[in-house]
Amino acid sequence: MTVKNTDPKSAVSKFEIGKVRKRTGRLIKYRRERITEAIFKALIASNKKSIEDNKRLAEELAVQVEKRLVKIFKGLDRYPSVEDIQDIVEAVLLENKLFKVVQNYVEYRQVRRFIREEKKSILNKSILSSIEKKFSLTAIQVLASRYLIRDSEGKIIEDLEHLFGRAAVVGVLPELVFDKKVSKRPRGKRYEVFGSRPAGIFDFKEEHSDRQVKEFVSKIEPKLKQVPEKIEDTHTGYRIGKYPLMYGHLHRLAALYDEAKLAGWVKISFNKLLDLLSEGYFDKYEKLVDEYYNMMINQEFLPNSPTLMNAGYRLGQLSACFVLDMEDDLLSILTTNTHVGIIFQSGGGVGINYGKLRPEGDIVASTSGVASGPLSFMEIVNTTTEVIKQGGKRRGANMGVLDVYHPDIEKFIVAKEDLNRFTNFNISVGFWEIFWDSLIQKSRMPLINPRTKERVRELDPADFINRLAISAHKSAEPGVIFFDKINKYNVLKDVLGNVRATNPCGEQPLYAYESCNLGSINLASCVRQDKEGNLVFNWRKYKKLIRLATRYLDNIIDINRYPLPIIRYRTRQTRKVGLGIMGLADLFYKLGIAYNSKEAYMMMNKLAEYLTYYSMEESVNLAAAKGAFPLFSKSDYAKGKLPVAGYYEVEKHNLDWKALLELIGEYGIRNSMTTTIAPTGSIAMIADTSTGLEPQFSLAYRKNVAIGNFFIVDKVFDEYLLYTRRQDAAKLREIVANNRGMLTGLEEYFDEQEKKRFITAQEIHWLDHLIAQATWQRWITASISKTINMHEDVTSTDVKHAYLLGHELGCKGLTVYREGSRMGVIQFKGEKQQVRLVPSDYAIKVVEGILNSSDGIYGARVDFRSELNDLLEAAIKGIKPTIEDQLELVSKAKEVPVEGDGPIKIPGVDVCPDCGGDLILEEGCKKCVQCGWSACTVS
């Protein structure tokens, strides 16, 4: 076939029509490159020509289409529609006898049409906006399932522009109260900010000094309690530039104003503030709203789910993470359970350390009876969780922690082997120095009654960690939390004591009644082309996103409507935020870097260091403008210390941390903690990227839809298939989906380099999972939610050494998942490949360094060092465990059928509570691959 040689440069010099009518009826500027791109996609799916040849051919064909457009529409009284152009493209392809290309182009149009109609149906709309077209069908499904507002009949009444607009506005409202026309900064109170007073005065419903504010709130409260019939019903008429303020926005603005007034910071009345709003004085903040809004719609940054759900509405609760306390008396236990219910109703998740409760069988003096123990009171919280939905959206999640020296710890570690028990809990053993000291010294560890503080009995720490590993090997729980590592660089320890609990997925250590707002930057969005056309990481954009996201999260602290006054008070005392990342796997896919390569680990180290450094630097800038967190002067920051292990333990830094310390000494810092790597299940699906710092779980799997098989494919991998593969992309999607979503075993279709590049979590040795977490943890101020994936053939000895190595490498907690060990988690059908998982050379060197060291656990325990050395040698040689190695297990998970295609759930187990879809275990918690539901509330 020969196409008439048409030089694109000699094409129509000026397109006489100029505009195109979209399906919405809106006119947009005509751009030939869009036609070229569509034809190019059809070409590369249809022939084996080079990319350059296909690009050249696509440009030539686009010129022909353009000339035909001019000829047909010249002199007509209407502009061409998108459908008109697509029809002409088909005609031009047929004229050039590109029959296979026509077929693929028509199929492409059909799929696009199906997706458009599906989106319209989901969103209850007849026309899609440009942003709704931009987001994938999966993202739309997730947004519709729990984020977009519905009317009293359950119909969606909100579009994406409004959702992200209201979420962006809440990040700017505190700027209005801090504006120079509204507030005055007291002299001589450098580190004092409002929020540092006793909790009671910040209860918005109980105390207000301004009569006009109370009158305003009394007018809007009835409307806040109504479910709107349409979004316009929630607007107040006030705006920041083009962004409308909802009643929930004004409610929080009024509350924040009143707090500032009580603190003596304001110099005008609230009515005057509203006048300034009406007059457009605050429109100068429209640009900042734009920046937050654009971060979200461009899928560069997203806040945690409660912020997206509740921003601008009556609930107004924007935090995901909470930690409560439970003292050893019935009133405290019942009060805590009440607070659990309140937090779940508001949309948060709760972590509690049950270690203060007396052990089972201990004396209860008031009744002359015996105590039922911590596990029984966890059952009460579990039941409360079951019956109360988070903000009317879904059930809540808990983290139940018990200290390793508690007398009931041996019952605790096997509690979840019964799959019907503690179904709304993640459970973790809290490790302290007393355990490691006993393990190293080969002495017995005392178990201490928290009521009497007396030694009850002792246990062998080596035997205990073996039993813990067996339980985790069997059921994927408990996890472990290393409180000694969490508190090692805790800058608040001298003023508030040790941290003793975390949020449900373990990534956010908090003091009792603290909360934290989280958000994640999409690393895959920070990629650009250099002058040579190569894809490189955009460090400048990354820094900008870090600064902007830090400012956004800090403002959320002030505008948030906390479920309890004490939570408001304690949160503002420390002002912790948790900025994290998602899209790491997709970033490496784009850059062609293998996740488990030395190059990847070096980049992880730099990415993590940048994240914390620039978030802290921006926090210093905020402190200079607004004041440091109230406890700054009593914290270790004032002594020149940092909550960053990498500053002390990494020999070579990429950035000037000493300069940052000098700035902190001069201006203070507004947030005591700034970085966290949280689960990003739902928001990663909204951003069309991989979750957290996890490797991609599966490149592709099958989903049945009305028009036939529909494949959920990693976005970057799919683009790779479309642009660089000479085979039929649709065929390859199906082949990969039928191969458990990975490339191993597909040597006929993919070479070794491609298999290394597009590696999945199933193909990475557990040591490399561990090294990845440890690499990030050195620089993250809080902790990390990640799953250490293990092949089904590993023994409990592997699990034990994952714990020991994790502690030696500085991790603050671990969740281990052996394939097939957790019921309710999907397996993938298709022929099961015999994947040989070998640690990377980099991971081997790290472990060898630990083995050769005279310090730590392995330096003191020859028996452990010998075990680890044997495991390492077996992994390198690809030796599988023997039958004898497996006899230590109480039982093994039932074999799952592997025939057929796509994912299936294990028979007879739980499914996604939202959509009935299949669950995987990732980032330390169950997640739905269909709708993005997560057992962790952050997602």
Side-chain angles (χ1 to χ4, degrees), residues 60 104 693 849 901:
E60 293 170 357
N104 285 324
L693 60 83
D901 309 313

Side-chain angles (χ1 to χ4, degrees), residues 193 304 307 318-323 483 486-487 489-493 495-503 507-519 549-558 560 562 567-580 615-616 619 622 627-632 635 637 643 669-676 781-783 812:
V193 295
N304 54 209
T307 300
L318 310 177
S319 299
C321 304
F322 297 85
V323 160
F483 285 120
I486 286 173
N487 289 292
Y489 300 111
N490 179 5
V491 293
L492 298 169
K493 183 166 61 175
V495 58
L496 296 177
N498 284 320
V499 169
R500 300 183 63 253
T502 75
N503 71 321
E507 80 280 357
Q508 189 61 55
L510 296 169
Y511 287 101
Y513 288 94
E514 271 191 310
S515 68
C516 190
N517 292 87
L518 311 179
T550 300
R551 179 176 288 271
Y552 177 88
L553 292 174
D554 178 70
N555 275 340
I556 295 299
I557 294 173
D558 292 319
N560 198 358
Y562 296 93
I567 293 176
R568 181 193 300 113
Y569 168 65
R570 292 194 173 173
T571 298
R572 290 183 178 175
Q573 284 280 289
T574 58
R575 300 189 68 87
K576 292 176 181 175
V577 298
L579 179 60
S615 63
M616 292 183 75
S619 187
L622 292 170
F629 70 92
L631 295 180
F632 173 84
S635 74
Y637 278 117
I669 190 167
R670 189 154 175 81
N671 313 101
S672 62
M673 296 282 189
T674 63
T675 52
T676 301
T781 59
S783 191
K812 295 181 179 179

Side-chain angles (χ1 to χ4, degrees), residues 626-918:
K626 300 179 179 180
F629 70 92
L631 295 180
F632 173 84
S633 60
K634 298 178 181 179
S635 74
D636 283 353
Y637 278 117
K639 303 172 186 175
K641 297 180 180 179
L642 291 173
V644 182
Y647 172 69
Y648 301 99
E649 299 175 7
V650 176
E651 186 174 341
K652 185 177 180 181
H653 300 162
N654 292 294
L655 301 166
D656 191 348
W657 287 88
K658 290 184 178 179
L660 179 60
L661 265 174
E662 291 176 2
L663 289 173
I664 292 172
E666 184 175 356
Y667 299 105
I669 190 167
R670 189 154 175 81
N671 313 101
S672 62
M673 296 282 189
T674 63
T675 52
T676 301
I677 308 296
T680 57
S682 295
I683 62 172
M685 293 177 85
I686 294 171
D688 289 322
T689 194
S690 56
T691 59
L693 60 83
E694 298 281 9
Q696 186 63 281
F697 184 81
S698 172
L699 292 173
Y701 65 88
R702 184 191 303 272
K703 183 176 181 181
N704 294 323
V705 296
I707 63 171
N709 290 325
F710 183 77
F711 292 98
I712 305 297
V713 186
D714 176 85
K715 182 179 179 181
V716 181
F717 178 64
D718 202 37
E719 290 174 351
Y720 180 82
L721 291 181
L722 288 171
Y723 283 91
T724 67
R725 296 302 290 168
R726 299 184 180 185
Q727 294 89 351
D728 191 314
K731 175 185 174 182
L732 287 174
R733 292 190 194 101
E734 186 171 2
I735 289 170
V736 174
N738 292 344
N739 193 54
R740 295 163 55 86
M742 58 186 179
L743 304 187
T744 296
L746 300 180
E747 287 76 13
E748 180 182 350
Y749 305 100
F750 299 96
D751 61 31
E752 286 301 314
Q753 190 60 37
E754 289 170 324
K755 287 192 289 184
K756 288 179 180 179
R757 175 178 182 174
F758 291 104
I759 196 168
T760 66
Q762 307 170 71
E763 302 163 279
I764 296 175
H765 193 275
W766 65 262
L767 272 173
D768 284 285
H769 282 280
L770 187 62
I771 299 299
Q773 179 173 336
T775 300
W776 281 86
Q777 187 61 82
R778 290 183 299 206
W779 297 106
I780 301 301
T781 59
S783 191
I784 292 171
S785 179
K786 187 189 181 323
T787 298
I788 308 302
N789 293 89
M790 291 187 166
H791 195 269
E792 64 179 345
D793 288 334
V794 302
T795 69
S796 64
T797 305
D798 291 84
V799 177
K800 176 177 74 175
H801 285 283
Y803 292 155
L804 297 176
L805 282 172
H807 185 266
E808 292 291 279
L809 291 168
C811 293
K812 295 181 179 179
L814 290 178
T815 299
V816 170
Y817 172 64
R818 180 182 64 84
E819 183 184 4
S821 65
R822 173 73 71 87
M823 301 297 282
V825 179
I826 68 168
Q827 303 287 333
F828 282 83
K829 291 183 179 178
E831 184 179 351
K832 196 162 188 176
Q833 299 293 339
Q834 297 301 313
V835 182
R836 180 189 171 191
L837 300 186
V838 179
S840 68
D841 292 342
Y842 183 86
I844 291 170
K845 287 182 179 179
V846 170
V847 176
E848 287 176 343
I850 292 173
L851 287 171
N852 294 330
S853 173
S854 59
D855 298 327
I857 299 167
Y858 291 100
R861 300 282 308 223
V862 176
D863 52 339
F864 286 176
R865 189 163 67 251
S866 176
E867 280 182 349
L868 180 57
N869 188 65
D870 290 344
L871 286 176
L872 190 61
E873 288 185 1
I876 294 171
K877 295 176 181 177
I879 301 173
K880 289 187 177 182
T882 64
I883 296 297
E884 289 74 17
D885 292 328
Q886 299 295 330
L887 291 178
E888 63 192 350
L889 304 179
V890 179
S891 64
K892 194 172 181 180
K894 193 181 225 180
E895 196 65 36
V896 179
V898 295
E899 302 81 13
D901 309 313
I904 60 166
K905 59 182 180 296
I906 298 175
V909 299
D910 58 330
V911 295
C912 173
D914 275 11
C915 73
D918 303 315

Side-chain angles (χ1 to χ4, degrees), residues 124-343:
N124 188 33
K125 298 183 71 174
S126 58
I127 298 175
L128 296 176
S129 69
S130 59
I131 292 176
E132 289 159 346
K133 290 178 182 177
K134 174 182 176 181
F135 280 75
S136 70
L137 179 58
T138 300
I140 295 293
Q141 289 171 328
V142 172
L143 287 162
S145 68
R146 65 178 58 92
Y147 297 98
L148 295 171
I149 303 302
R150 298 173 182 266
D151 64 15
S152 56
E153 297 179 354
K155 294 180 180 178
I156 291 175
I157 56 173
E158 183 176 38
D159 56 31
L160 268 61
E161 290 90 336
H162 189 271
L163 182 154
F164 293 120
R166 62 179 169 85
V169 166
V170 295
V172 171
L173 293 178
E175 306 291 349
L176 278 56
V177 178
F178 275 102
D179 189 88
K180 62 183 180 182
K181 277 199 174 184
V182 179
S183 71
K184 55 184 177 181
R185 184 174 179 178
R187 294 183 179 180
K189 296 183 179 181
R190 179 178 171 193
Y191 299 123
E192 182 180 337
V193 295
F194 61 85
S196 59
R197 295 168 179 259
I201 69 166
F202 295 121
D203 188 338
F204 186 62
K205 292 184 178 179
E206 292 180 3
E207 186 169 347
H208 294 281
S209 60
D210 192 304
R211 178 178 57 82
Q212 293 172 332
V213 174
K214 286 194 287 186
E215 290 178 356
F216 171 75
V217 172
S218 68
K219 291 177 182 177
I220 69 170
E221 278 285 3
K223 296 181 180 179
L224 287 170
K225 294 176 182 177
Q226 297 174 1
V227 176
E229 293 301 320
K230 53 185 179 179
I231 286 297
E232 289 74 14
D233 294 342
T234 67
H235 291 167
T236 61
Y238 294 102
R239 311 180 76 86
I240 299 176
K242 59 180 171 289
Y243 296 95
L245 267 61
M246 303 170 69
Y247 286 104
H249 290 136
L250 283 186
H251 184 286
R252 301 313 305 145
L253 184 64
L256 188 59
Y257 167 88
D258 207 42
E259 293 176 24
K261 183 172 183 178
L262 288 169
W265 277 55
V266 298
K267 56 186 179 183
I268 63 172
S269 68
F270 187 69
N271 275 354
K272 179 60 177 174
L273 186 152
L274 292 178
D275 289 342
L276 293 174
L277 196 58
S278 297
E279 295 163 3
Y281 171 76
F282 295 118
D283 286 356
K284 60 185 179 178
Y285 294 107
E286 180 185 20
K287 183 178 179 181
L288 184 56
V289 184
D290 281 339
E291 290 188 275
Y292 293 152
Y293 176 78
N294 289 332
M295 277 200 305
M296 297 180 199
I297 66 166
N298 292 329
Q299 300 169 303
E300 297 167 339
F301 164 84
L302 287 171
N304 54 209
S305 287
T307 300
L308 290 176
M309 291 174 183
N310 301 327
Y313 279 88
R314 179 183 62 83
L315 194 60
Q317 201 290 97
L318 310 177
S319 299
C321 304
F322 297 85
V323 160
L324 300 180
D325 196 18
M326 189 174 280
E327 297 289 343
D328 189 37
D329 66 79
L330 187 59
L331 179 60
S332 173
I333 292 168
L334 296 178
T335 299
T336 298
N337 191 52
T338 299
H339 291 165
V340 166
I342 292 171
I343 290 171

Side-chain angles (χ1 to χ4, degrees), residues 344 350 379 381-387 395-400 416 419-427 477 504 933 935:
F344 285 157
V350 175
E379 296 276 16
V381 174
N382 190 68
T383 301
T384 300
T385 310
E386 192 70 32
V387 298
R395 289 201 307 270
N398 296 280
M399 171 64 81
K416 288 200 70 174
L419 299 175
N420 296 314
R421 197 177 188 195
F422 302 124
T423 54
N424 299 300
F425 267 90
N426 290 330
I427 64 171
E477 290 203 70
W933 175 90

